[in-house]
Amino acid sequence: MAVTADLAVRIGKLTLQNPVMVASGTFGYGQEYHRLYDVNALGGIVTKSISLKPRPGNPAPRIYETPSGMLNSIGLQNVGLEAFLKEKLPFLKRLKGPRIIVNLAGESVREYVDLARRLEDAGGIDGLELNISCPNCERGGIEFGVDPRLTAQVVGRVRRVTRRTLIAKLSPNVTDIAGIARAAAEAGADALSLINTLLAIAVDADRWRPRVATVTCGLSGPAIKPVALRMVWQVHRALPRVPLIGIGGIMRAEDAVEFMLCGATAVEVGTANYVNPKAPLEIIRGLRRYLSARKLAGPRALVGKLAVPERLRGIPQGVAG
Ligand SMILES: Cc1cc2nc3c(=O)[nH]c(=O)nc-3n(C[C@H](O)[C@H](O)[C@H](O)COP(=O)(O)O)c2cc1C
């Protein structure tokens, strides 16, 4: 008898119809992709980061393709809170399938708190994802996500003004990812998403110039998947009860499975949307096939199941070389 897996998963109080979401900044606010396919099939949509005021973003060139990845320095260009509420949220509210997660970017703790407070009465929003990890802005963003004290402060202050599912999005540009993760969870985050982009540079050897106008920028795509898997695994080992959302170079269903084995309950698909707009749909289908072929009841059966050799069990992780 064929077994059809139930793909539903829980992230804190939220139930997702399947564990595949789309990552902030790679899906706009959903309308354009809805012309290509029915986005109601998605487990969740994470919006482009929203700030209180509209932001024009960084100067061009701000995108560059690298082997197995891409660099970007968009600089959190976005329509701002007012336009989001008037022009973008009504479309998202009408969707029946995906959970709607609004990603917030502030330049100060106060801006994050104001954003969360102003969204509290808006309908149609299921959760907030705090971008405390943007590498491409002069102020805010990454400054919070690389310091456990600031991480705890911003998560704790937002926690006090929202009842919504609160997700802290972590930066990979740190030495001790588990320490930052613990600070966010103890301050009240319901879940953690990881990773944002890795700080990087590309150089034009003929012109002796950086390829991207801001010089430093963020690396994403398959090139970062091994780093992201390692970080998800380390955080899951340190905080096995905290729901994790794995992000980084997910292109196919097997990539999503790898993140789940390392401890992710759900995933977000980013750069893949630029390569193949229907990648998230194919990942959902592939995941169902993967589970059914192995007669597994659902994605939970995979979470944290990476086999670790007996001889490594007592050895502190993070030691390389
Ligand atoms: C062009 C671009 C824009 C992005 N903008 C945002 C953003 O506004 N807020 C945010 O939290 N992450 C942003 N990200 C990071 C992604 O959400 C994701 O964490 C990262 O790209 C790693 O996943 P991937 O390898 O699947 O792309 C952006 C990524 C790209 C490529």
Side-chain angles (χ1 to χ4, degrees):
M1 197 182 72
V3 178
T4 309
D6 173 6
L7 291 187
V9 294
R10 283 180 68 91
I11 297 282
K13 320 181 269 292
L14 275 191
T15 300
L16 276 59
Q17 61 180 351
N18 66 65
V20 182
M21 304 195 260
V22 285
S24 180
T26 65
F27 206 76
Y29 308 95
Q31 283 118 312
E32 294 79 7
Y33 282 89
H34 197 51
R35 284 183 217 130
L36 297 173
Y37 68 88
D38 184 2
V39 300
N40 280 299
L42 297 170
I45 293 178
V46 185
T47 68
K48 173 72 188 168
S49 282
I50 305 288
S51 46
L52 274 179
K53 298 266 169 300
R55 287 176 67 137
N58 290 333
R62 49 189 199 170
I63 295 271
Y64 185 72
E65 191 171 341
T66 59
S68 301
M70 69 179 275
L71 298 173
N72 91 81
S73 179
I74 306 299
L76 299 183
Q77 177 179 356
N78 79 95
V79 296
L81 181 68
E82 289 306 325
F84 170 72
L85 290 171
K86 276 206 205 83
E87 295 159 23
K88 309 293 181 187
L89 188 58
F91 164 77
L92 293 168
K93 260 189 194 169
R94 286 197 296 274
L95 298 176
K96 297 280 177 272
R99 299 285 129 219
I100 304 302
I101 312 291
V102 180
N103 179 300
L104 305 182
E107 289 186 1
S108 60
V109 173
R110 193 192 186 132
E111 185 172 352
Y112 284 99
V113 172
D114 281 354
L115 282 160
R117 195 179 273 136
R118 303 242 333 248
L119 287 168
E120 198 57 11
D121 298 325
I125 298 171
D126 299 297
L128 304 178
E129 180 179 69
L130 300 183
N131 178 2
I132 51 170
S133 45
C134 178
N136 307 318
C137 8
E138 275 170 33
R139 275 183 298 153
I142 201 167
E143 280 170 26
F144 294 100
V146 297
D147 179 331
R149 237 171 12 90
L150 289 177
T151 297
Q153 202 185 343
V154 69
V155 172
R157 293 275 303 279
V158 172
R159 177 74 289 170
R160 274 184 246 151
V161 301
T162 186
R163 280 162 289 138
R164 294 210 163 98
T165 296
L166 184 58
I167 304 165
K169 181 168 180 178
L170 305 185
S171 169
N173 302 305
V174 298
T175 316
D176 176 16
I177 190 73
I180 304 277
R182 180 170 286 112
E186 284 176 358
D190 298 299
L192 307 172
S193 56
L194 65 163
I195 59 175
N196 208 318
T197 54
L198 279 153
L199 260 181
I201 291 182
V203 174
D204 180 338
D206 288 327
R207 295 162 63 233
W208 297 18
R209 288 198 179 172
R211 299 278 189 183
V212 171
T214 50
V215 186
T216 60
C217 44
L219 178 64
S220 65
I224 72 169
K225 189 182 76 171
V227 178
L229 287 171
R230 185 263 296 175
M231 290 191 157
V232 167
W233 186 71
Q234 284 181 323
V235 172
H236 181 67
R237 276 172 70 104
L239 305 166
R241 281 216 259 273
V242 176
L244 304 182
I245 303 167
I247 322 171
I250 298 174
M251 311 297 280
R252 310 173 308 140
E254 285 73 12
D255 298 325
V257 169
E258 291 171 22
F259 273 93
M260 289 173 180
L261 292 173
C262 287
T265 297
V267 295
E268 292 177 19
V269 177
T271 299
N273 291 303
Y274 295 119
V275 183
N276 169 15
K278 293 191 179 166
L281 283 190
E282 291 169 16
I283 293 170
I284 294 166
R285 271 188 230 122
L287 200 52
R288 184 170 284 119
R289 264 199 308 272
Y290 180 96
L291 293 167
S292 298
R294 288 162 183 78
K295 301 199 176 358
L296 297 169
R300 272 239 57 94
L302 301 171
V303 178
K305 292 293 165 57
L306 185 71
V308 176
E310 194 69 52
R311 68 194 162 78
L312 286 182
R313 293 226 169 116
I315 297 178
Q317 296 303 320
V319 185

